[in-house]
Amino acid sequence: VIPSEDAHGSEYVAPSDKRREWISGFTGSAGQAIVSKTQAYLITDSRYWLQAQKELDENWHLIAAGAPEAPKDWVEWLVDRAKNSKIGIDARMITHEKASQLSAQLAAKGSKLIYPPQNLVDLLWKDKPQRSKERIFIQGREFTGKDATAKLAELREWIKAQPPATLSYSQAPPTPAQVHVGTLISSLASIAYLLNLRGQDIPYNPVFQAYLYVGLDRAILFIEAAKVDEEVSRYLEGLNVERRDYNDIWTFLRRREWKEGKVIISPQTSYAISLMLTHLRYTVLPSYVEEMKAVKNEVEIEGMRRAYLRDGVAFVRWFAWLEQKLQQGYEITEYEAAYRLTEFRRHQKHFMDLAYENISASGPNAALPHYTPTRATARVIDRETPYLNDSGGQYRDGTCDTTRTVHFGRPTDEQCEAFTRVLQGHIAIDSAIFPEGTTGKALDVLARRALWQDGMNYMHGTGHGVGSYLNVHEGPHGFGIDVPLVPGNVITNEPGYYNAGKWGIRIESALVVKRVTTKREFNGDIWLGFDRLTCVPIQTKMVKESMLTKEEKAWLKVRHLVTT
């Protein structure tokens, strides 16, 4: 099995970790390659089916996970076929949670996972890129709103608050071996957040490859020395964070250098780490740092407001440029449009990079939710179908993610009806009010209800958490996820509709969860709603007003910037 992820479970990976892309030729960010003695398979979800069909050669079989009559994911596909089999995987590239579940399912089929001492793809990949040695840098308090010292202290209080790992029926006091003494963090975004540091190891994601052990009285950052300059070295000393080489993590684990006691790991920690620790030495708990990171403080929220305002300025200036060029008769390709938008963003204050590759799509390409154009194969933006742009900038004060769909000609009735249904779902989420404890999953139906009325739907999620100058996809919350939304969560609202082979529509804005005052205040001050961060107009050319309710028309006129 050749996963997409790296040793830290990252969704987007460094060039040196793109093993699945190298072996298969498939460039999407999600999917698993599985190679047997006689066949090769690529399993991916609906966002990438059409892209995978184009990119895979005749050696590969595409498995469309989630399609009718198809397995829901690669695990189900593999378990269904396993019989007295040995299945190899690099233990660093699979999470503790997934490996534990998969091992149990395979055991029932007389099969088991095997962990080769070396990654088999690495043995074949002769011109494999070197691991990044880019310098890391400090993300100041003017952007984070909270010192790393305070974050570390809060994490240590959480470690102390975890009950000892005693047997439920035992009356004896806990032994030193049962007490929690630290946590090992492997998530790159969590390490960057906790230490207020950022890096440049993964394109579009300001993170750096490292591990972090936080004990009650010591902390150790495992990172390549070349990445740490004098300033950052002094900063880490000031935090009482020791520094050791990246690969020293395995020595640290093997020698049990924290001495007695249990180490807390998250379910997303690599299985290689839990194998090295052995089950007597660790406790698996949801990541507390993920929870901390997901609740933005006032400084982070204000920073994101400013970032979205500047990003919106760039988006609107670019849209005016594009519209003018097309009206003048110029032929603009999807690639050139994306390139020009990046140039508009580069002129904004605090711009660091893009948040992800520009999705710039016209005609049938817009029906591919994650299509990115190349200079050689990009289509000319036409005037018969909607044009979809999903993009955003990485700024020191916030990460942006915006999608708008526009039409440069005369839209058809079918396009207008689809756009209006998508817009109705977008409005329903944007204006939702809900009590504390409501999960993103409970609200998801609001985005789909209008589409469902006409027998339409979309196969991707309705929205995800967003980082504060960190990863554009952030957990643990999201629409479609059973995690309660709380004030300070930032989340995207992005329903869509894709007419395969013809055109696609998506509207996406970023929202922050806030407390709201309601008329009746049943059960007190428990009501929540959303504040919109995105500052980009929605084109109304494809809106069928006759389909809108009175409230939806009012939302368009009063609550949102609109452009004709």
Side-chain angles (χ1 to χ4, degrees):
V1 178
I2 304 145
S4 303
E5 296 80 7
D6 61 12
H8 303 271
S10 307
E11 179 186 11
Y12 298 102
V13 300
S16 56
D17 286 312
K18 292 189 172 183
R19 296 174 179 88
R20 191 227 57 223
E21 181 178 317
W22 180 81
I23 198 85
S24 69
F26 169 62
T27 61
S29 64
Q32 308 286 341
I34 299 180
V35 181
S36 74
K37 288 179 181 176
T38 57
Q39 303 288 342
Y41 304 90
L42 190 282
I43 298 105
T44 192
D45 64 53
S46 64
R47 295 172 298 169
Y48 298 104
W49 293 343
L50 297 173
Q51 181 181 336
Q53 282 170 8
K54 287 181 181 178
E55 292 181 343
L56 297 174
D57 68 16
E58 68 281 357
N59 294 294
W60 291 85
H61 301 280
L62 172 62
I63 308 298
E69 310 295 315
K72 74 173 190 296
D73 57 21
W74 69 273
V75 169
E76 186 179 302
W77 183 88
L78 189 63
V79 170
D80 193 44
R81 279 152 188 75
K83 190 180 178 186
N84 303 322
S85 310
K86 290 179 180 176
I87 295 148
I89 189 167
D90 185 334
R92 297 170 304 158
M93 309 304 165
I94 186 170
T95 66
H96 170 87
E97 181 177 52
K98 189 146 275 182
S100 303
Q101 292 168 351
L102 182 54
S103 294
Q105 290 174 276
L106 288 172
K109 307 290 288 282
S111 302
K112 63 179 180 178
L113 289 173
I114 299 289
Y115 308 104
Q118 280 184 285
N119 188 290
L120 302 187
V121 173
D122 290 352
L123 294 176
L124 300 171
W125 194 356
K126 300 303 180 196
D127 53 350
K128 187 172 184 278
Q130 292 294 306
R131 222 167 31 208
S132 164
K133 289 185 167 48
E134 292 285 340
R135 296 282 177 90
I136 62 175
F137 54 95
I138 300 162
Q139 177 77 342
R141 187 173 176 172
E142 68 271 27
F143 300 120
T144 65
K146 190 173 183 179
D147 289 329
T149 309
K151 292 179 181 180
L152 286 165
E154 186 180 337
L155 179 59
R156 285 178 168 129
E157 287 303 314
W158 176 79
I159 295 167
K160 286 181 199 169
Q162 301 316 303
T166 52
L167 296 169
S168 56
Y169 54 80
S170 173
Q171 300 297 312
T175 66
Q178 294 170 324
V179 174
H180 294 105
V181 296
T183 183
L184 183 65
I185 302 165
S186 60
S187 158
L188 303 185
S190 292
I191 295 168
Y193 165 82
L194 194 63
L195 297 179
N196 287 348
L197 291 170
R198 299 292 187 269
Q200 305 166 75
D201 286 358
I202 297 178
Y204 314 119
N205 296 264
V207 296
F208 51 94
Q209 289 173 324
Y211 294 95
L212 178 66
Y213 171 77
V214 179
L216 298 178
D217 51 12
R218 73 187 292 209
I220 308 167
L221 180 66
F222 299 88
I223 186 171
E224 287 188 44
K227 294 179 183 176
V228 183
D229 66 15
E230 199 63 35
E231 183 191 8
V232 174
S233 188
R234 284 196 305 271
Y235 170 77
L236 289 170
E237 281 174 28
L239 295 175
N240 290 321
V241 174
E242 300 167 45
R243 183 161 52 81
R244 288 172 56 174
D245 189 71
Y246 178 73
N247 287 320
D248 263 5
I249 181 67
W250 307 108
T251 307
F252 173 82
L253 294 173
R254 194 170 60 250
R255 290 179 179 167
R256 316 273 191 262
E257 291 187 29
W258 61 95
K259 303 197 170 62
E260 271 198 300
K262 288 213 171 210
V263 174
I264 299 167
I265 61 172
S266 82
Q268 283 70 48
T269 305
S270 83
Y271 199 51
I273 287 173
S274 52
L275 285 173
M276 184 73 85
L277 281 167
T278 73
H279 73 280
L280 296 172
R281 297 277 186 163
Y282 65 79
T283 298
V284 181
L285 292 172
S287 167
Y288 183 65
V289 182
E290 285 279 305
E291 289 177 35
M292 289 169 64
K293 178 161 56 72
V295 181
K296 307 291 183 278
N297 59 46
E298 280 306 314
V299 172
E300 290 173 312
I301 291 168
E302 279 310 305
M304 292 188 85
R305 282 191 207 285
R306 290 193 300 271
Y308 272 92
L309 183 58
R310 294 194 305 274
D311 200 67
V313 167
F315 207 109
V316 170
R317 283 178 175 163
W318 161 80
F319 180 67
W321 169 86
L322 180 59
E323 193 167 43
Q324 184 183 34
K325 288 293 179 190
L326 291 172
Q327 282 172 356
Q328 290 170 350
Y330 287 93
E331 289 201 334
I332 307 290
T333 68
E334 300 160 323
Y335 182 86
E336 188 188 350
Y339 174 82
R340 292 283 181 167
L341 176 51
T342 301
E343 290 308 301
F344 277 100
R345 285 191 164 112
R346 275 190 212 286
H347 291 104
Q348 297 299 321
K349 184 181 178 184
H350 293 321
F351 177 84
M352 300 297 285
D353 198 353
L354 293 177
Y356 49 99
E357 278 191 290
N358 277 320
I359 297 170
S360 170
S362 181
N365 292 337
L368 309 174
H370 276 231
Y371 165 84
T372 54
T374 62
R375 190 193 293 272
T377 61
R379 283 173 61 92
V380 170
I381 295 171
D382 67 51
R383 291 162 180 77
E384 290 75 49
T385 62
Y387 166 71
L388 186 155
N389 188 289
D390 180 341
S391 60
Q394 283 281 17
Y395 303 90
R396 285 300 290 271
D397 47 359
T399 300
C400 297
D401 185 358
T402 302
T403 308
R404 291 292 181 263
T405 306
V406 295
H407 205 293
F408 295 110
R410 198 171 275 178
T412 65
D413 265 1
E414 186 186 20
Q415 291 163 0
C416 290
E417 285 174 13
F419 185 91
T420 306
R421 289 304 189 205
V422 171
L423 176 63
Q424 288 175 303
H426 186 85
I427 293 171
I429 290 286
D430 186 274
S431 48
I433 291 173
F434 49 94
E436 283 178 353
T438 303
T439 66
K441 192 170 187 177
L443 296 176
D444 186 74
V445 67
L446 298 178
R448 300 177 189 270
R449 180 177 169 272
L451 285 160
W452 286 356
Q453 284 180 318
D454 288 347
M456 302 154 86
N457 205 357
Y458 52 94
M459 298 295 284
H460 57 73
T462 297
H464 52 82
V466 181
S468 174
Y469 186 41
L470 266 173
N471 296 355
V472 73
H473 294 159
E474 185 175 276
H477 63 284
F479 293 116
I481 297 175
D482 248 334
V483 172
L485 296 174
V486 299
N489 284 161
V490 173
I491 189 167
T492 61
N493 168 18
E494 49 181 310
Y497 177 69
Y498 309 94
N499 191 342
K502 295 180 180 177
W503 44 266
I505 290 162
R506 185 164 63 254
I507 305 171
E508 175 186 22
S509 296
L511 310 169
V512 59
V513 181
K514 64 170 184 179
R515 295 206 172 275
V516 298
T517 304
T518 57
K519 187 175 180 181
R520 304 291 182 203
E521 290 290 272
F522 181 78
N523 271 350
D525 183 22
I526 63 160
W527 297 93
L528 305 175
F530 297 113
D531 230 359
R532 195 176 328 102
L533 298 172
T534 305
C535 298
V536 179
I538 290 173
Q539 190 195 52
T540 56
K541 185 186 279 189
M542 287 183 281
V543 176
K544 282 193 106 167
E545 282 222 19
S546 60
M547 292 170 65
L548 298 180
T549 64
K550 187 173 74 177
E551 291 77 17
E552 288 163 347
K553 287 174 187 173
W555 184 94
L556 263 185
K557 286 187 175 72
V558 178
R559 288 201 59 198
H560 200 87
L561 305 157
V562 295
T563 177
T564 53

